[in-house]
């Protein structure tokens, strides 16, 4: 019963097969390999336009590089208060930008809200002693497991454009959001106003591979230099590029995400039937956040389930856990089995 995160499982077989297929012979290093050229073409096809693609090994690296391309050292990047770039990247965006400020705003279930963003930027002091807003970042899925709709992204982009802010999407769980919303990668990103994307793959089947996908050529200008300075330019580049061959070919990434989402939907369906367990947030991907009695939490842990207690600052006042309750985060992956889900629900039901 492993629901701790989606990176606790290994890489998927097609990804490993693609690495092995790219492994023999000699190829130019540092991303000049023939596999990367194939991957570039795959991304252009996927996004239905020319895009520039920079591969890196970690999501934090991708996000920090994106923020640094959008935000000068004297500027601000704005996100929701739950954002991974603010809370879980150990200051990497601030480091890579050379000192920019990350500003976080309250929102709704992890969403950055257009009116809140507009009011915040409008009321910033114009003086030189106030860092100006230069960019925004949204996570898709967001940190509360919610998938923005293209309309919601477009509404944020309208505000961003009004104040000349670049817009980044942290797509660590892009595939899960995409299959939930049933839209195209283009609709989810540049057609809704996203300028630069961290396209996650590691959590959904890759070994260690994320792609920075750039929709605005200005943001790609210095990316080669930034990536090398960040230590994210992999020398045996084809072993990184090839992961995307296995990941994208035959829509493997979408099948993986559909499976993970289906497992999360089963968890939700099972848990919400149990008296005393409730879900304050919708399940729109592969994350489930049940509020449960502490005794149920303990029984699940005692039965060997792996999952974590989760902060509740973005839970509405009426839904906050009571004194004898706690909220958990459960994450499913492309390897989660229906049996694991059934076992978890069974233990929870008996304990409740
Ligand atoms: C929303 C979000 N963004 C980015 C990341 C990528 O982080 P990492 O540097 O661990 O690959 C994660 C991983 O937990 C995440 O949840």
């Amino acid at each position: 019963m492993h629901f701790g995160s989606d990176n606790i499982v290994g890489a998927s077989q097609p990804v490993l097969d693609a690495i092995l297929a790219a492994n023999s012979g000699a190829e130019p290093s540092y991303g000049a390999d023939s596999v990367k050229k194939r991957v570039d073409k795959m991304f252009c096809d996927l996004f239905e336009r020319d895009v520039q693609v920079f591969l890196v090994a970690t999501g934090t690296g991708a996000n920090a590089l994106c923020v640094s391309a959008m935000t000068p050292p004297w500027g601000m990047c704005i996100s929701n208060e739950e954002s991974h770039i603010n809370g879980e990247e150990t200051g990497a965006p601030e480091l890579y930008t050379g000192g920019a400020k990350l500003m976080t705003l309250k929102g709704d279930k992890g969403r950055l809200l257009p009116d809140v963003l507009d009011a915040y930027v409008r009321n910033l002091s114009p003086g030189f002693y106030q860092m100006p807003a230069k960019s925004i970042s949204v996570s898709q899925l967001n940190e509360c497991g919610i998938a923005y709709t293209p309309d919601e992204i477009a509404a944020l982009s309208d505000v961003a454009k009004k104040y000349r802010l670049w817009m980044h999407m942290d797509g660590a769980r892009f595939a899960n959001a995409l299959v939930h919303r049933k839209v195209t990668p283009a609709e989810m990103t540049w057609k809704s106003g996203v300028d630069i994307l961290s396209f996650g793959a590691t959590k959904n089947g890759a070994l260690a591979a994320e792609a920075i996908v750039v929709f605005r050529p200005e943001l790609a200008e210095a990316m080669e230099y930034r990536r090398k300075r960040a230590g994210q330019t992999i020398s045996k580049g084809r072993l990184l590029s090839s992961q995307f061959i296995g990941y994208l070919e035959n829509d493997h990434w979408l099948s993986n995400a559909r499976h993970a989402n289906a497992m999360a939907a089963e968890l939700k369906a099972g848990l919400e039937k149990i008296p005393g367990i409730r879900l304050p947030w919708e399940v729109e991907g592969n994350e489930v956040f049940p509020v449960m009695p502490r005794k149920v939490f303990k029984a699940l842990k005692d039965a060997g389930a792996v999952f974590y207690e989760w902060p509740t600052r973005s839970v509405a006042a009426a839904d906050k856990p009571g004194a004898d309750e706690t909220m958990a985060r459960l994450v499913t992956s492309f390897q989660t089995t229906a049996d694991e889900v059934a076992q978890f629900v069974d233990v929870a039901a008996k304990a409740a």
Side-chain angles (χ1 to χ4, degrees), residues 7 58-61 63 84 89 139 141 143 170 172-173 203 210:
N7 57 11
T58 70
T60 297
N63 285 344
H84 196 269
E89 298 191 353
S139 303
L141 290 178
E143 288 76 4
D170 170 0
R173 298 188 176 89
K203 290 180 191 300
E210 314 280 311

Side-chain angles (χ1 to χ4, degrees), residues 35-52:
V35 189
K36 172 64 168 49
K37 290 186 179 65
R38 270 180 74 195
V39 169
D40 284 342
K41 164 97 175 57
M42 287 170 110
F43 272 103
C44 292
D45 291 346
L46 193 63
F47 285 96
E48 305 170 49
R49 54 167 282 178
D50 276 351
V51 291
Q52 278 163 282

Side-chain angles (χ1 to χ4, degrees), residues 264 267-269 271-272 277-283 287-291 319:
L267 258 181
K268 168 189 166 352
L271 290 175
E272 68 188 0
I277 298 188
R278 56 204 165 80
L279 280 79
W281 300 331
E282 295 78 21
V283 175
E287 295 181 291
V288 185
F289 295 85
V291 170
D319 292 328

